[in-house]
Amino acid sequence: LEPGPMAALSARVGEIAQLLGGEVVGDAEAMISDIAPVQDAKPGELSFISNKKYIGQLKTTKATAVLVNPDVAALGAPPGTSLIVLDDP
């Protein structure tokens, strides 16, 4: 992790996956500098889906990466969104 543009921490998707013990589906080099709810996330932000009622929002999220379980990962992600697959996101 290294300091980002606004004194926040930024990290690559692959670094986050490694820290959490997850697997990346997508661009492991993409940079993350913030977190946000899946429905509000923008490029550069990380989100997660752990409740089934939010699965539909994976199709429209603008997040750079989303933490998901294997069942949600099987649904795929929109272009430009990487998935970090964990047993319990």
Side-chain angles (χ1 to χ4, degrees), residues 4 9-12 17 20-21 26 28 33 37 56-57 61-63 65 70 72 80 86:
L9 288 180
S10 62
R12 287 181 174 77
L20 298 175
S33 59
Q57 294 180 1
T61 190
K62 303 292 188 225
V72 176
L86 303 161

Side-chain angles (χ1 to χ4, degrees), residues 4-88:
M6 294 197 285
L9 288 180
S10 62
R12 287 181 174 77
V13 171
E15 293 172 322
I16 296 168
Q18 185 176 10
L19 286 170
L20 298 175
E23 179 183 334
V24 176
V25 176
D27 184 3
E29 297 299 313
M31 294 300 295
I32 299 294
S33 59
D34 206 351
I35 58 172
V38 69
Q39 69 273 17
D40 299 330
K42 302 181 299 279
E45 294 181 328
L46 174 69
S47 192
F48 72 96
I49 295 176
S50 63
N51 187 318
K52 291 180 182 179
K53 75 178 189 176
Y54 295 106
I55 289 174
Q57 294 180 1
L58 180 60
K59 295 178 184 176
T60 58
T61 190
K62 303 292 188 225
T64 293
V66 181
L67 305 175
V68 297
N69 67 35
D71 292 337
V72 176
L75 301 174
T81 298
S82 297
L83 302 176
I84 299 175
V85 185
L86 303 161
D87 288 334
D88 186 12

